[in-house]
Amino acid sequence: MIIQRLSYRNAFYIALAFTTFLNVIFLLMFFYIRSAAVSSGTFEYTQIPISTPSEIVHLVINFISVLGISFVLCAINFKLLTMEHIKPKIRVLLVVVSTIVVVIFSSALFANIQIYLEDFGIWIPFRGIIIRDTFVGFFIVLISLLAYVFMKQQQTALENEILVAENMRTRYNVLKNQVDPHFLFNSLNTLNTLIKIDADKAQQYVQELSLVFRYTLQNKEVIPLEEELKFTQAYCNLMQIRYGESLKFEYKVNPKFYSRNIIPLSLQVLVENAIKHNVITTREPLTVSIVSDDKGSISVSNPIRLKTETESGEGIGLINLSERYRLMWHKDIVVSQNDGIFCVKIFLSE
């Protein structure tokens, strides 16, 4: 039984389980009652069948008495152990003292009860009650302490899980919120440049930009790949307005993956990263490829033509993307450089 809290209901369940177990042992012992010692120095065992009403009553009373004392002790112990304003050592001491008091009271009460066994013509008193109740009290204290320790462990584990979840959510939101102003800052810089160079392109850029920002203003943690691709293509159109024929894009994404989930702005960040760090000229156009593979991953790659001095930024590109994927899906992005090609691969969630 999983103890989520030390309640009276749980106290009853524990008392019932313990009493059932204990009375099974009593029942087995009851089948073979040791008779008086014989002169030969050996002991004879007389099997007494559980058949007469008096014998059944004896067992029932014994069961009820053990259940009663077990429940009372569990209820009192649970109440004492959950008094957080009292020091732990004092709580344990109170549990022991209360158990002694209950055991003495119970023993005095049931010691006066006698059951008459018709088949043998004798009265059977509840002898050894103090021994029995002491045994019960000892184990109930032990069970109560174990239940309390287990409950505290569960509470601690649950609190840790909640803390980790909240910490991850907070970190993720911080990272996501960094992306929006970062993208806005770069977009406004681009618009400022176009206004000086070509007013018509600047107007077209504003129209495309309004569509892009509808996407960036959404508050979703994951999004279908199809939507992310549409947004990325819109962003690429903005970049082509700025760079013209110096910048090219290739799309080779299998439509069967369109329904897979991806973290918003993932592809856009990679495209932006490629544009920001590489030389783009008319003589040497930069081609950025967005390709899917058969395993359900998607990669963004480009030739390595690093600038002597990279554009200023907040350094949240790949680091941000990697951290977001690690927090959301406990997965890492794959970054590779082979044969002069820089490639970043990210997986798609089902």
Side-chain angles (χ1 to χ4, degrees), residues 175-191 205 208-217 231-232 234-236 238-239 242 265 267-273 275-276 313-314 316-317 320:
L175 289 169
K176 183 178 181 299
N177 291 335
Q178 284 180 332
V179 174
D180 295 338
H182 180 68
F183 175 69
L184 174 61
F185 177 78
N186 287 344
S187 299
L188 292 178
N189 276 345
T190 301
L191 179 59
Y205 188 89
E208 293 282 356
L209 188 62
S210 64
L211 297 177
V212 169
F213 269 102
R214 291 178 185 176
Y215 182 87
T216 60
L217 291 176
F231 161 72
T232 303
Y235 174 79
C236 292
L238 293 177
M239 295 300 100
R242 174 180 177 182
L265 302 177
L267 299 181
Q268 180 271 331
V269 166
L270 297 178
V271 171
E272 180 185 18
N273 194 63
I275 296 172
K276 182 173 67 174
E314 300 178 15
I316 63 172
N320 180 292

Side-chain angles (χ1 to χ4, degrees), residues 191-199:
L191 179 59
N192 181 58
T193 302
L194 286 175
I195 290 175
K196 298 176 182 178
I197 298 175
D198 191 327

Side-chain angles (χ1 to χ4, degrees), residues 246-259:
S246 300
L247 183 61
K248 299 180 180 180
F249 297 95
E250 292 182 350
Y251 304 96
K252 296 180 181 179
V253 180
N254 194 325
K256 71 178 182 179
F257 297 127
Y258 281 176
S259 60

Side-chain angles (χ1 to χ4, degrees), residues 180-315:
D180 295 338
H182 180 68
F183 175 69
L184 174 61
F185 177 78
N186 287 344
S187 299
L188 292 178
N189 276 345
T190 301
L191 179 59
N192 181 58
T193 302
L194 286 175
I195 290 175
K196 298 176 182 178
I197 298 175
D198 191 327
D200 293 336
K201 283 188 176 181
Q203 184 177 2
Q204 183 183 355
Y205 188 89
V206 171
Q207 294 175 351
E208 293 282 356
L209 188 62
S210 64
L211 297 177
V212 169
F213 269 102
R214 291 178 185 176
Y215 182 87
T216 60
L217 291 176
Q218 66 182 341
N219 187 26
K220 296 181 180 179
E221 294 184 351
V222 296
I223 199 163
L225 174 62
E226 184 175 13
E227 294 186 30
E228 176 70 9
L229 276 175
K230 289 180 180 179
F231 161 72
T232 303
Q233 289 173 348
Y235 174 79
C236 292
N237 291 337
L238 293 177
M239 295 300 100
Q240 282 193 313
I241 292 174
R242 174 180 177 182
Y243 291 99
E245 295 299 323
S246 300
L247 183 61
K248 299 180 180 180
F249 297 95
E250 292 182 350
Y251 304 96
K252 296 180 181 179
V253 180
N254 194 325
K256 71 178 182 179
F257 297 127
Y258 281 176
S259 60
R260 297 276 188 97
N261 289 326
I262 191 172
I263 292 179
L265 302 177
S266 297
L267 299 181
Q268 180 271 331
V269 166
L270 297 178
V271 171
E272 180 185 18
N273 194 63
I275 296 172
K276 182 173 67 174
H277 293 289
N278 291 277
V279 175
I280 303 176
T281 63
T282 305
R283 188 173 58 182
E284 292 183 308
L286 179 69
T287 301
V288 180
S289 300
I290 302 176
V291 182
S292 64
D293 59 20
D294 296 334
K295 297 181 180 179
S297 296
I298 189 165
S299 60
V300 178
S301 60
N302 60 271
I304 300 176
R305 300 171 187 166
L306 296 179
K307 296 179 180 178
T308 304
E309 295 182 2
T310 59
E311 298 178 17
S312 61
E314 300 178 15

